[in-house]
Amino acid sequence: MEKTNKRFIFWNNHGRKWQILIGVALVVVVIAWLQRHEDPVDFSTDVKPIINKHCISCHGGVKKNSGFSLLFEEEAFAVAESGNPAIIPGDAKHSEFIRRLTADDPEERMPYDAPPLSKKEINVLTRWVEQGAKWGEHWAYSLPKEVIVPRPRFGLASLFGFGRTVRVASDLDYFIQAKHRERGFSFSPPADRATLLRRVTLDLTGLPPTPEQVAAFAGDNSQDAYERRVDSLLASPRFGEHWASWWLDIARYADTKGYEKDASRQIWAYRDWVIKAFNSDKPFNTFTVEQLAGDLLPDATADQLIATAFHRNTMVNDEGGTDDEEFRVAAVIDRVNTTYQAWLSTTFECVQCHSHTYDPIKFEEYYKSLAFFNNTRDEDTQGDYPTLRFYGSEDSIRIAEVKGWVARHAPESAVASTDLFLQALEPKIHAHACDQLVNGALVDTKWLGIRNGGSARLPAVTLTGKDRFYLNYSAGAAGGELEIRADSPEGPEIANITLPATNGMETMAVPIVPMSGQHDLFFQFKNPSISAGSSVCLVEWMAFRKSLPGHNEPGYAHVQQTFLELVNRRTPSVPILIENPQDMHRETHVFERGNWLVKGESVEPSVPQFLHDFPEDAQRNRLGFAQWLVSEKNPLIGRTLVNRVWAQLFGHGIVEPLGDMGSQSDPPSHAELLDWLALRFTHDMDWSVKQLVREIVVSTTYRQASVSHGKSAEKDPNNKYYARGPRFRLSAEQIRDQALAVSGLLSTKMYGPSVMPYQPDGVWMSVYSGERWATSEGEDRYRRGVYTFIKRTSPYPSYVTFDASSREVCLVDRIRTNTPLQALTTLNDPVYQEAARHLAKRMEAAGKGNAQEAIQSGYLFVMQRDLPADKLQALQKLFDETVVHYRQQPAEAAMLLALPANEASERIATTAAYTVVASALLNLDEFLTKS
């Protein structure tokens, strides 16, 4: 009995303790629950997604039913058609916005004719209104602030049992580790050295390491062995070639103009500029300004002008009968859309027709941004003008002589004007500017063609300070004459010009009577010797300029003749941007509903209000816009660049999709890490892309093994939280480059015109021009993929198969597909067959008659590691069976090796078998994948 009482007392005492503990726990839970429901509702995180999902389609940028919109703050709280505001901050009970969400009448309940909101969603909106309906800002539109690295306190991880303790290599790892703790993950073990070196070499140079490089790294026990190899790869010229491919997708770089004709163009100098910019680690802010406005920089260099070809990658329509102005406008629209997409991850193109449906961007703001880009000299002409002309060394000396003459006789502005005309033939007026044509036409809508006795008007030409006329024309017959009269067909004659026959297009220069102000000019063409249906000449462009100074000085005639000869020189070139002079300035209008033919009110250049202010000291032109873009006050540019570089290395961004950081994007998986890296990039790293890449690849997060295992693979199949290393298929260019590299075929030649490697016959069917794919000779056919000629209407087939872009529009994120066509390509494409043959020769030489050693050597060449026993057995079996087959079918062996059938022999059968094994190696999943 005593023992029973003691037991009762014991359990009674401890039961009371447990009751107290349970009671305290319940109180804590209730308080926490109440506090959770009392927490402020965040507009960006909690409210905006509900509005975008259920409300905005009827009450937003496109529609404003009942005069109520939830897109902009001022509209949300404005008086609706009912005469009252729909939202009364702090008073959910009397807010029509909330009442309609819970109304019983289906004609009143919102959303109309759609399922009702969930109780949770209604609760969030109700609490938001009760708490004052504070209109928050989307996270991406707020400037990143100082971010504290979440270093754990000593012993915290082990205290709560969150896996093993891992020594981190970079501060960025702490951000990853913090998310791991939330989800019960931990870092995977480091990748083995061979895998890690292959991964980082592919990521930094686009090429695999050699077996010798892997062996040296594996045997290097120094503490900084990996970091030194990273630095070496960053310094390699192969770095720029690899990373240029990524940027050229964004820049929509191609070697043809697009549209129906899709004729070739010379723009490869821009591609080379990008490669050099990455190799020199040009700061990203400078990289940005030069591409958007290099021509507007003081004393712009040739390289800075070449950089502006970024926005000359827009398509040009050479088809006859098209309206040049229509496609000029299309190019300008593309430039606006591409700029916001490339640098700000903003779907600005949505605003061309109406205010943005989901983000606070107003319709008019689109055209205010367009005004920055609307005053460039390009006009969708067949000549792709303006172009930067590349003179030979002798002509460059002659240019210096002409400029020296001008400098001795005129102010610096005259030197700059002379240089611009020699380098780019600007400013000039294209023939399509002519109107009021009599007895003539715009031939193919491009060249002015007037018959004998016909005329044309060139409207609104500013003649102040101009006394010389340049005419670019062709004439098949002598005896032509051109009269130019001012203000009317019977007005004062300012020039009477004899038009000699030409050999193609030529430029002539003649004096004109000086006049002031702006005048309509009437061109009257005569040549009684030609047939009635023929044109006196074809005119491509005209220019009115001030004569070279120093008329009365000895040697003037020689300088003037030299100048004209240089103007007529046919040179290599690259399309560039040049700004209109003031007298050719275009006025920008809003396009009603996005239609370029229906112009609304005029607008001045300005930037959207949802971002930072335009710099006070900046000019309202492309240069000022570029300076606004790279301002440290810009909340998007650093985040955008960091997110995309991260995606190149890990296969997906911290924010998805890569093209949208607006309110419709997924929330960042690691918001603090994104902001920390963005601030580091724009401040501590001084916009250095190489430093950013280095910061990421030396991290513990990057160095992990990529093998999926345990709960992290089950809970996080897409590796969103980085509990293992990256693993995904290589890009189209990398796959080809790697095959050429391991086979010993790859050329290291850099720069120059694009090349044409093997391509099946009949892929190109070019209209009009008769252009064809002519396979390059010598090492050019084995150059890296970044140098491959890209025709927009018929891109290189094996690249398209592996998801490369046709480069018609800006592409910030290639998709990765998995189709049977990819296997057919790497098995049968001539490039991969030739690579297999050369790899087979390397294998055969290394094996010295021993098939097993040859196969092991082949795997070492391909994967830079030893061949596992099970794979050796499978490949040995493939070799043995194939040797038997080719001994019985010698003609097939000769065909595989691209040899005449009469060369079939026992040795050829063996080589053919090695070729089949080599092809199998080049088709291994591990070879086509970065892991």
Side-chain angles (χ1 to χ4, degrees), residues 630-752:
V630 299
S631 166
E632 291 184 354
K633 297 179 181 179
N634 187 340
L636 284 172
I637 188 168
R639 287 177 174 132
T640 291
L641 193 279
V642 164
N643 195 46
R644 290 180 184 164
V645 169
W646 185 276
Q648 288 295 304
L649 299 171
F650 285 97
H652 55 83
I654 296 172
V655 180
E656 290 284 331
L658 297 184
D660 186 8
M661 279 195 184
S663 61
Q664 286 296 91
S665 69
D666 293 338
S669 60
H670 299 75
E672 294 81 6
L673 171 60
L674 180 66
D675 285 356
W676 181 77
L677 279 173
L679 289 170
R680 289 263 294 143
F681 173 67
T682 56
H683 291 75
D684 302 338
M685 298 178 184
D686 293 326
W687 302 82
S688 167
V689 173
K690 283 190 177 182
Q691 287 191 46
L692 174 63
V693 171
R694 189 185 193 280
E695 179 89 46
I696 297 172
V697 300
V698 300
S699 68
T700 298
T701 304
Y702 178 83
R703 297 195 217 184
Q704 297 174 94
S706 59
V707 179
S708 300
H709 62 86
K711 59 185 178 181
S712 67
E714 182 180 337
K715 294 173 65 176
D716 187 18
N718 296 322
N719 201 24
K720 183 177 180 180
Y721 295 102
Y722 310 104
R724 57 186 182 276
R727 186 178 191 276
F728 52 91
R729 201 205 66 219
L730 301 176
S731 70
E733 294 90 343
Q734 282 179 295
I735 290 171
R736 178 181 174 275
D737 291 351
Q738 183 180 220
L740 294 177
V742 300
S743 67
L745 284 171
L746 185 67
S747 166
T748 58
K749 180 180 176 181
M750 297 180 72
Y751 311 129

Side-chain angles (χ1 to χ4, degrees), residues 538-549:
L538 292 179
V539 177
E540 184 176 15
W541 58 263
M542 299 152 277
F544 295 85
R545 296 184 53 78
K546 183 177 179 60
S547 297
L548 295 178

